[in-house]
Amino acid sequence: MIHITEKFYCCGCMACVSVCPKQCIKMIEDEEGFLYPEIDASRCIDCKLCEKVCPELCQKEERSPLSVYAAKNKNEQIRLASSSGGIFTLLAEKVIDEDGVVFGARFNEKWDIVHDYKETKEGLVAFRGSKYVQSYMGDCYQKVKSFLQQGREVMFTGTPCQIAGLKNYLRKDYDNLLTVDVVCHGVPSPKVWRMYLDEIACKVGKNTVLSHPMGKKAEIKSIDFRSKSTGWKKFSFALTLSEATADGEKNSVLLSSIFTENLYMNAFLSNLSLRPSCYACPVKSGKSGSDITLGDFWGIEKVLPEFDDNKGCSAVLVYTEKGERYIASLQIDTEKADYESMLVGNPNIEHSAFLPINRNFFFHEVRKCKTFSVAWNNTISNSLVKRIWRFIYRKFNR
């Protein structure tokens, strides 16, 4: 049975939960906000299926892509609404046109990130755009298998570890399955995400211009991790909130900040809020088994400057003949690119996130502090007192 001795060795893909014939594995949230499998040993029949589907225990061989492209959706509106070049939408629409089903990550009513499926083009809007939080898989693997066995085309998108979990769970190749993963920096804690949102909503709720009485939370209306209002290369994190005033009117406010100035994005990009397994990812370098990998073509202005318009450009890495057929069938603007040149701006394709020295201290503060901003500031402050505090913590909490 699966036994997690070190949290570095579990990516939270939930393949073990999905494959268990006795349903004796459940996911439990730890103090950092990440989910880990817990087994009811009294019901376990020791079939070892959970071990056979684990991306950590059953790692695949590294692969090099067959082709690499810089690509852009010709529909400017869709491209501007997408994180990079809008290629996901075109792939998904092709699958929908074939009476297929598309799986991806969306916000739920509480603004948590969950995996789900859609069968209409209108529904794809929920999947569009990056979401920098680990998603909850639920029973999506079982649903994928059911649709495949019905003979329907299925496109499954996710992080590389989620793709690897699905492929291991299915235990066979399906001609009607297209798997698309993303260039993954790492997945932040859902708990940290909830803390951040709660703090923002409360701050807006205490703004006397926007709400009454003081202390009431504002209602979140929309979230965009990668707004292009300030351009693709200097994208912004944007929140739209609303609150009822004393006279019953609805006021709204847009909170937008360039990613370098947003605290949540800083925690993510500095690797402080990531899952432990992201520092030793078992599915880098094409090991996920995906047909296609999508990401931002960072550095396009140096590699293909004539192709860059700062509205978003996708890096498309094709690993299989099936992936080649799909890309060739799309009406997109493309330029062939060199893998090594593309890798310069996307090192996370091959390399795991580095482990910050104050990562454990940050989560200690997350557990202790009431707000995200206090935990973050205590972690990065250059004051002598805070530096000594962090040094002492590291020394006695190894």
Side-chain angles (χ1 to χ4, degrees), residues 75-94:
N75 185 315
E76 289 281 297
Q77 185 177 357
I78 291 178
R79 182 156 66 109
L80 288 174
S82 305
S83 293
S84 50
I87 304 306
F88 157 79
T89 297
L90 290 172
L91 286 168
E93 287 180 342
K94 178 175 175 56

Side-chain angles (χ1 to χ4, degrees), residues 262-286:
N262 180 270
L263 299 189
Y264 181 82
M265 292 300 293
N266 281 337
F268 164 56
L269 293 171
S270 64
N271 300 341
L272 283 168
S273 60
L274 303 185
R275 188 180 182 97
S277 61
C278 296
Y279 307 110
C281 179
V283 288
K284 294 292 183 183
S285 300

